Structures are given as structure tokens and as C-alpha cells.
Amino acid sequence: MIESWIAIGDSFTEGVGDEGPDGVCIGWADRLATQLAAVNPSFSYANLALRGKMMKEILDDQVPIAVAERPDLITLCAGGNDIIVPGVDIDEIAAMFDAAVAALRATGAQVLVFTAPDVKFQPVVRMVRTKAAIYNAHIHASADRHGAKVVDLWSMSTLRDRRAWSDDRLHFAPDGHRRIALRTAEVLGLPVTEDWREPLPEQPPLRWLDMRRMDVSWARAHLIPWIGRQLRGQSLGDGLAPKRPRLTPYRIPKEPQLQSLKDVTTC
């Protein structure tokens, strides 16, 4: 039974794209924490992840906290913000990732890492697909080298659907986070009552003109501001703090979005 868990990383683990009624991110990690707390009332949880964080920041700022706390479980997803930057050295980012996994595993904790998803279907964003695939190979190698488990998002076919993603094409929508929580529970060997593989309902294909209009709208709302932040050296996480910075007992929230989760089991 998992008594304590520290989640580290960037916006993926913070839960961006899956906001609750109060505007606070929920995400796959909080959804999984809800399941763990349903099974174990003494379960403790911290989520140090923050949007915009680069691999070096996670290695320098978050990994030492997880190492010092020595929880039963540590999850790590990092490097996504690095690989989308033009000209980045993937091998250099992978070396930092490997150092993080080695340090986390040295505590004796069970470590779970995540690959990048397949973005072939995403216009513009798919330009980083080759870099993501190379980085994923490094992630699998690090996990094998240090005895970590892998949640392979690349192989999740249900994530190759626009409905699994938020409008910015970089973060997952609530259903995407829900499915990732189920997949993560499966890798951990936890019981679930839903299958993340369940296909989404059929929908008619989008017309070419509609897709181009969506591309233009996306570029104005998300791509151009991202380029501006890159040029100014800014991050979406500037001035923000992690939502659960300390390892504390986790209580199942009363928000309807979490209370109605079908994947929470009390067995």
C-alpha cells in the first residue's frame, strides 16, 4: 500500500487543462491521489509541479525536496518544455533526466516516469514529434537503467484525439487527464473500474476550412503569446507556487468533478 507520494514536474503534473470549479488545477495526479486516499485514509501527498518549469529547474529545485522527504512513490515528468525549444540538445536534457531518476531511485522509493505523447495529429505542434520520439527512447533507457516504471503516453491511442486535449494543443483536457490517471493506476497495479482504452464516441470529420480557421485561432491565442514569452525569457509559472508544496495527509475533495469520478474505488 502506498503511504506517501510526491509528484514532481511541470504543467502536465500540475494539471493544467483540467481546472476545477474554483479555477485550481486538478489533473491526473490529483485524480490518482483521490483513488489512493480512498483506499488508504492515512495517505499523504505533495505536488511540486509547476507550469513552465524546465528540466534543470526541476532537477535543481524539486528533486532535492523529494529526495529529502523519501516518500514511498515519486512520479517524474519533465523535459517537455525543453524539447519544444528550437535548437535544444536532446541528449543534454536526457542526461539531466537520467540524473534525476538516479537520485530519486537512490532513496529506495518507487519511481514512475512518463513518456511524451504522440502529437502526429496536432497541426504545427507535430513538428517536435521526432525530437519527442528521441527523448522517449532516452526515458525508456533511464527507467531500465535505474529500475523505474514507465507510463507510456505515446502508446495511448485514446490520446490521439483532439477531444483529449485542451484548446492550446499542449495540455490535456479533463478526459485526457482522467485516462492518464487510469493508465498510471494500472502501471502501479491498483484496481480501477474503468478502462482508459474505451474509445471516444464517433464524430464527423472536420472540414478542411474549419481546421484552418481553428489553426489561425490557435496561433493568435496560444502560439504568438508563447513566442513572445520565449523572446522575453518569461514563463507561465512566473510568480506562481506549487499547489501542494509539502507532504501532508490528502483528503478527498468535495468538488463534484472529483467526487463523481468513476475510477475511484474503495475496495
Side-chain angles (χ1 to χ4, degrees), residues 99-116:
V101 176
L104 297 173
R105 282 290 294 143
T107 67
Q110 180 175 188
V111 174
L112 220 62
V113 298
F114 295 75
T115 68

mmCIF file with all atom_site columns, all heavy atoms in Angstrom, residues 99-116:
data_model
loop_
_atom_site.group_PDB
_atom_site.id
_atom_site.type_symbol
_atom_site.label_atom_id
_atom_site.label_alt_id
_atom_site.label_comp_id
_atom_site.label_asym_id
_atom_site.label_entity_id
_atom_site.label_seq_id
_atom_site.pdbx_PDB_ins_code
_atom_site.Cartn_x
_atom_site.Cartn_y
_atom_site.Cartn_z
_atom_site.occupancy
_atom_site.B_iso_or_equiv
_atom_site.pdbx_formal_charge
_atom_site.auth_seq_id
_atom_site.auth_comp_id
_atom_site.auth_asym_id
_atom_site.auth_atom_id
_atom_site.pdbx_PDB_model_num
ATOM 1   N N   . ALA A 1 99  ? 19.937 11.837 -14.455 1.00 0.00 ? 99  ALA A N   1
ATOM 2   C CA  . ALA A 1 99  ? 20.476 12.177 -13.135 1.00 0.00 ? 99  ALA A CA  1
ATOM 3   C C   . ALA A 1 99  ? 19.349 12.293 -12.109 1.00 0.00 ? 99  ALA A C   1
ATOM 4   O O   . ALA A 1 99  ? 19.499 11.883 -10.950 1.00 0.00 ? 99  ALA A O   1
ATOM 5   C CB  . ALA A 1 99  ? 21.259 13.488 -13.212 1.00 0.00 ? 99  ALA A CB  1
ATOM 6   N N   . ALA A 1 100 ? 18.214 12.847 -12.541 1.00 0.00 ? 100 ALA A N   1
ATOM 7   C CA  . ALA A 1 100 ? 17.068 12.966 -11.641 1.00 0.00 ? 100 ALA A CA  1
ATOM 8   C C   . ALA A 1 100 ? 16.534 11.591 -11.251 1.00 0.00 ? 100 ALA A C   1
ATOM 9   O O   . ALA A 1 100 ? 16.272 11.322 -10.065 1.00 0.00 ? 100 ALA A O   1
ATOM 10  C CB  . ALA A 1 100 ? 15.970 13.787 -12.304 1.00 0.00 ? 100 ALA A CB  1
ATOM 11  N N   . VAL A 1 101 ? 16.377 10.704 -12.222 1.00 0.00 ? 101 VAL A N   1
ATOM 12  C CA  . VAL A 1 101 ? 15.867 9.360  -11.935 1.00 0.00 ? 101 VAL A CA  1
ATOM 13  C C   . VAL A 1 101 ? 16.821 8.615  -11.004 1.00 0.00 ? 101 VAL A C   1
ATOM 14  O O   . VAL A 1 101 ? 16.390 7.942  -10.055 1.00 0.00 ? 101 VAL A O   1
ATOM 15  C CB  . VAL A 1 101 ? 15.655 8.564  -13.242 1.00 0.00 ? 101 VAL A CB  1
ATOM 16  C CG1 . VAL A 1 101 ? 15.229 7.129  -12.931 1.00 0.00 ? 101 VAL A CG1 1
ATOM 17  C CG2 . VAL A 1 101 ? 14.609 9.236  -14.114 1.00 0.00 ? 101 VAL A CG2 1
ATOM 18  N N   . ALA A 1 102 ? 18.121 8.738  -11.251 1.00 0.00 ? 102 ALA A N   1
ATOM 19  C CA  . ALA A 1 102 ? 19.112 8.070  -10.405 1.00 0.00 ? 102 ALA A CA  1
ATOM 20  C C   . ALA A 1 102 ? 19.015 8.558  -8.966  1.00 0.00 ? 102 ALA A C   1
ATOM 21  O O   . ALA A 1 102 ? 19.042 7.755  -8.016  1.00 0.00 ? 102 ALA A O   1
ATOM 22  C CB  . ALA A 1 102 ? 20.517 8.321  -10.957 1.00 0.00 ? 102 ALA A CB  1
ATOM 23  N N   . ALA A 1 103 ? 18.894 9.865  -8.778  1.00 0.00 ? 103 ALA A N   1
ATOM 24  C CA  . ALA A 1 103 ? 18.812 10.428 -7.423  1.00 0.00 ? 103 ALA A CA  1
ATOM 25  C C   . ALA A 1 103 ? 17.533 9.990  -6.720  1.00 0.00 ? 103 ALA A C   1
ATOM 26  O O   . ALA A 1 103 ? 17.542 9.668  -5.521  1.00 0.00 ? 103 ALA A O   1
ATOM 27  C CB  . ALA A 1 103 ? 18.881 11.955 -7.491  1.00 0.00 ? 103 ALA A CB  1
ATOM 28  N N   . LEU A 1 104 ? 16.443 9.955  -7.440  1.00 0.00 ? 104 LEU A N   1
ATOM 29  C CA  . LEU A 1 104 ? 15.159 9.565  -6.843  1.00 0.00 ? 104 LEU A CA  1
ATOM 30  C C   . LEU A 1 104 ? 15.147 8.082  -6.479  1.00 0.00 ? 104 LEU A C   1
ATOM 31  O O   . LEU A 1 104 ? 14.677 7.693  -5.405  1.00 0.00 ? 104 LEU A O   1
ATOM 32  C CB  . LEU A 1 104 ? 14.017 9.885  -7.801  1.00 0.00 ? 104 LEU A CB  1
ATOM 33  C CG  . LEU A 1 104 ? 13.824 11.374 -8.145  1.00 0.00 ? 104 LEU A CG  1
ATOM 34  C CD1 . LEU A 1 104 ? 12.771 11.548 -9.232  1.00 0.00 ? 104 LEU A CD1 1
ATOM 35  C CD2 . LEU A 1 104 ? 13.459 12.183 -6.912  1.00 0.00 ? 104 LEU A CD2 1
ATOM 36  N N   . ARG A 1 105 ? 15.669 7.251  -7.361  1.00 0.00 ? 105 ARG A N   1
ATOM 37  C CA  . ARG A 1 105 ? 15.708 5.814  -7.079  1.00 0.00 ? 105 ARG A CA  1
ATOM 38  C C   . ARG A 1 105 ? 16.647 5.479  -5.924  1.00 0.00 ? 105 ARG A C   1
ATOM 39  O O   . ARG A 1 105 ? 16.439 4.502  -5.197  1.00 0.00 ? 105 ARG A O   1
ATOM 40  C CB  . ARG A 1 105 ? 16.124 5.049  -8.335  1.00 0.00 ? 105 ARG A CB  1
ATOM 41  C CG  . ARG A 1 105 ? 15.015 4.876  -9.338  1.00 0.00 ? 105 ARG A CG  1
ATOM 42  C CD  . ARG A 1 105 ? 13.946 3.911  -8.839  1.00 0.00 ? 105 ARG A CD  1
ATOM 43  N NE  . ARG A 1 105 ? 14.468 2.553  -8.720  1.00 0.00 ? 105 ARG A NE  1
ATOM 44  C CZ  . ARG A 1 105 ? 14.134 1.689  -7.761  1.00 0.00 ? 105 ARG A CZ  1
ATOM 45  N NH1 . ARG A 1 105 ? 13.293 2.044  -6.794  1.00 0.00 ? 105 ARG A NH1 1
ATOM 46  N NH2 . ARG A 1 105 ? 14.651 0.477  -7.740  1.00 0.00 ? 105 ARG A NH2 1
ATOM 47  N N   . ALA A 1 106 ? 17.679 6.304  -5.738  1.00 0.00 ? 106 ALA A N   1
ATOM 48  C CA  . ALA A 1 106 ? 18.645 6.064  -4.659  1.00 0.00 ? 106 ALA A CA  1
ATOM 49  C C   . ALA A 1 106 ? 18.001 6.176  -3.283  1.00 0.00 ? 106 ALA A C   1
ATOM 50  O O   . ALA A 1 106 ? 18.541 5.676  -2.296  1.00 0.00 ? 106 ALA A O   1
ATOM 51  C CB  . ALA A 1 106 ? 19.820 7.030  -4.770  1.00 0.00 ? 106 ALA A CB  1
ATOM 52  N N   . THR A 1 107 ? 16.835 6.815  -3.188  1.00 0.00 ? 107 THR A N   1
ATOM 53  C CA  . THR A 1 107 ? 16.133 6.927  -1.907  1.00 0.00 ? 107 THR A CA  1
ATOM 54  C C   . THR A 1 107 ? 15.426 5.624  -1.539  1.00 0.00 ? 107 THR A C   1
ATOM 55  O O   . THR A 1 107 ? 14.967 5.466  -0.407  1.00 0.00 ? 107 THR A O   1
ATOM 56  C CB  . THR A 1 107 ? 15.073 8.042  -1.958  1.00 0.00 ? 107 THR A CB  1
ATOM 57  O OG1 . THR A 1 107 ? 14.025 7.663  -2.874  1.00 0.00 ? 107 THR A OG1 1
ATOM 58  C CG2 . THR A 1 107 ? 15.684 9.363  -2.409  1.00 0.00 ? 107 THR A CG2 1
ATOM 59  N N   . GLY A 1 108 ? 15.301 4.716  -2.495  1.00 0.00 ? 108 GLY A N   1
ATOM 60  C CA  . GLY A 1 108 ? 14.559 3.483  -2.268  1.00 0.00 ? 108 GLY A CA  1
ATOM 61  C C   . GLY A 1 108 ? 13.098 3.584  -2.655  1.00 0.00 ? 108 GLY A C   1
ATOM 62  O O   . GLY A 1 108 ? 12.353 2.606  -2.543  1.00 0.00 ? 108 GLY A O   1
ATOM 63  N N   . ALA A 1 109 ? 12.686 4.766  -3.105  1.00 0.00 ? 109 ALA A N   1
ATOM 64  C CA  . ALA A 1 109 ? 11.289 4.970  -3.493  1.00 0.00 ? 109 ALA A CA  1
ATOM 65  C C   . ALA A 1 109 ? 10.988 4.283  -4.815  1.00 0.00 ? 109 ALA A C   1
ATOM 66  O O   . ALA A 1 109 ? 11.868 4.073  -5.660  1.00 0.00 ? 109 ALA A O   1
ATOM 67  C CB  . ALA A 1 109 ? 10.996 6.464  -3.617  1.00 0.00 ? 109 ALA A CB  1
ATOM 68  N N   . GLN A 1 110 ? 9.732  3.935  -4.999  1.00 0.00 ? 110 GLN A N   1
ATOM 69  C CA  . GLN A 1 110 ? 9.267  3.505  -6.315  1.00 0.00 ? 110 GLN A CA  1
ATOM 70  C C   . GLN A 1 110 ? 9.156  4.765  -7.179  1.00 0.00 ? 110 GLN A C   1
ATOM 71  O O   . GLN A 1 110 ? 8.578  5.770  -6.761  1.00 0.00 ? 110 GLN A O   1
ATOM 72  C CB  . GLN A 1 110 ? 7.905  2.821  -6.191  1.00 0.00 ? 110 GLN A CB  1
ATOM 73  C CG  . GLN A 1 110 ? 7.346  2.334  -7.502  1.00 0.00 ? 110 GLN A CG  1
ATOM 74  C CD  . GLN A 1 110 ? 6.051  1.556  -7.347  1.00 0.00 ? 110 GLN A CD  1
ATOM 75  O OE1 . GLN A 1 110 ? 5.563  0.971  -8.303  1.00 0.00 ? 110 GLN A OE1 1
ATOM 76  N NE2 . GLN A 1 110 ? 5.479  1.550  -6.157  1.00 0.00 ? 110 GLN A NE2 1
ATOM 77  N N   . VAL A 1 111 ? 9.732  4.721  -8.359  1.00 0.00 ? 111 VAL A N   1
ATOM 78  C CA  . VAL A 1 111 ? 9.743  5.890  -9.236  1.00 0.00 ? 111 VAL A CA  1
ATOM 79  C C   . VAL A 1 111 ? 8.992  5.570  -10.522 1.00 0.00 ? 111 VAL A C   1
ATOM 80  O O   . VAL A 1 111 ? 9.211  4.530  -11.146 1.00 0.00 ? 111 VAL A O   1
ATOM 81  C CB  . VAL A 1 111 ? 11.183 6.342  -9.551  1.00 0.00 ? 111 VAL A CB  1
ATOM 82  C CG1 . VAL A 1 111 ? 11.182 7.481  -10.582 1.00 0.00 ? 111 VAL A CG1 1
ATOM 83  C CG2 . VAL A 1 111 ? 11.897 6.791  -8.277  1.00 0.00 ? 111 VAL A CG2 1
ATOM 84  N N   . LEU A 1 112 ? 8.114  6.494  -10.890 1.00 0.00 ? 112 LEU A N   1
ATOM 85  C CA  . LEU A 1 112 ? 7.320  6.365  -12.103 1.00 0.00 ? 112 LEU A CA  1
ATOM 86  C C   . LEU A 1 112 ? 7.652  7.545  -13.011 1.00 0.00 ? 112 LEU A C   1
ATOM 87  O O   . LEU A 1 112 ? 7.619  8.692  -12.569 1.00 0.00 ? 112 LEU A O   1
ATOM 88  C CB  . LEU A 1 112 ? 5.831  6.411  -11.733 1.00 0.00 ? 112 LEU A CB  1
ATOM 89  C CG  . LEU A 1 112 ? 4.861  5.480  -12.453 1.00 0.00 ? 112 LEU A CG  1
ATOM 90  C CD1 . LEU A 1 112 ? 5.233  4.032  -12.162 1.00 0.00 ? 112 LEU A CD1 1
ATOM 91  C CD2 . LEU A 1 112 ? 3.439  5.750  -11.981 1.00 0.00 ? 112 LEU A CD2 1
ATOM 92  N N   . VAL A 1 113 ? 7.974  7.262  -14.278 1.00 0.00 ? 113 VAL A N   1
ATOM 93  C CA  . VAL A 1 113 ? 8.267  8.325  -15.228 1.00 0.00 ? 113 VAL A CA  1
ATOM 94  C C   . VAL A 1 113 ? 7.303  8.224  -16.404 1.00 0.00 ? 113 VAL A C   1
ATOM 95  O O   . VAL A 1 113 ? 6.676  7.184  -16.631 1.00 0.00 ? 113 VAL A O   1
ATOM 96  C CB  . VAL A 1 113 ? 9.727  8.258  -15.724 1.00 0.00 ? 113 VAL A CB  1
ATOM 97  C CG1 . VAL A 1 113 ? 10.684 8.447  -14.559 1.00 0.00 ? 113 VAL A CG1 1
ATOM 98  C CG2 . VAL A 1 113 ? 10.019 6.934  -16.441 1.00 0.00 ? 113 VAL A CG2 1
ATOM 99  N N   . PHE A 1 114 ? 7.188  9.306  -17.160 1.00 0.00 ? 114 PHE A N   1
ATOM 100 C CA  . PHE A 1 114 ? 6.215  9.394  -18.244 1.00 0.00 ? 114 PHE A CA  1
ATOM 101 C C   . PHE A 1 114 ? 6.898  9.752  -19.553 1.00 0.00 ? 114 PHE A C   1
ATOM 102 O O   . PHE A 1 114 ? 7.743  10.649 -19.590 1.00 0.00 ? 114 PHE A O   1
ATOM 103 C CB  . PHE A 1 114 ? 5.165  10.474 -17.932 1.00 0.00 ? 114 PHE A CB  1
ATOM 104 C CG  . PHE A 1 114 ? 4.315  10.174 -16.742 1.00 0.00 ? 114 PHE A CG  1
ATOM 105 C CD1 . PHE A 1 114 ? 4.827  10.311 -15.457 1.00 0.00 ? 114 PHE A CD1 1
ATOM 106 C CD2 . PHE A 1 114 ? 3.002  9.758  -16.891 1.00 0.00 ? 114 PHE A CD2 1
ATOM 107 C CE1 . PHE A 1 114 ? 4.047  10.032 -14.344 1.00 0.00 ? 114 PHE A CE1 1
ATOM 108 C CE2 . PHE A 1 114 ? 2.213  9.478  -15.782 1.00 0.00 ? 114 PHE A CE2 1
ATOM 109 C CZ  . PHE A 1 114 ? 2.738  9.611  -14.502 1.00 0.00 ? 114 PHE A CZ  1
ATOM 110 N N   . THR A 1 115 ? 6.513  9.093  -20.625 1.00 0.00 ? 115 THR A N   1
ATOM 111 C CA  . THR A 1 115 ? 6.993  9.487  -21.941 1.00 0.00 ? 115 THR A CA  1
ATOM 112 C C   . THR A 1 115 ? 6.142  10.645 -22.460 1.00 0.00 ? 115 THR A C   1
ATOM 113 O O   . THR A 1 115 ? 5.058  10.923 -21.937 1.00 0.00 ? 115 THR A O   1
ATOM 114 C CB  . THR A 1 115 ? 6.911  8.343  -22.953 1.00 0.00 ? 115 THR A CB  1
ATOM 115 O OG1 . THR A 1 115 ? 5.525  8.041  -23.217 1.00 0.00 ? 115 THR A OG1 1
ATOM 116 C CG2 . THR A 1 115 ? 7.632  7.104  -22.442 1.00 0.00 ? 115 THR A CG2 1
ATOM 117 N N   . ALA A 1 116 ? 6.630  11.281 -23.511 1.00 0.00 ? 116 ALA A N   1
ATOM 118 C CA  . ALA A 1 116 ? 5.827  12.282 -24.214 1.00 0.00 ? 116 ALA A CA  1
ATOM 119 C C   . ALA A 1 116 ? 4.760  11.564 -25.038 1.00 0.00 ? 116 ALA A C   1
ATOM 120 O O   . ALA A 1 116 ? 4.970  10.445 -25.503 1.00 0.00 ? 116 ALA A O   1
ATOM 121 C CB  . ALA A 1 116 ? 6.716  13.116 -25.122 1.00 0.00 ? 116 ALA A CB  1
#
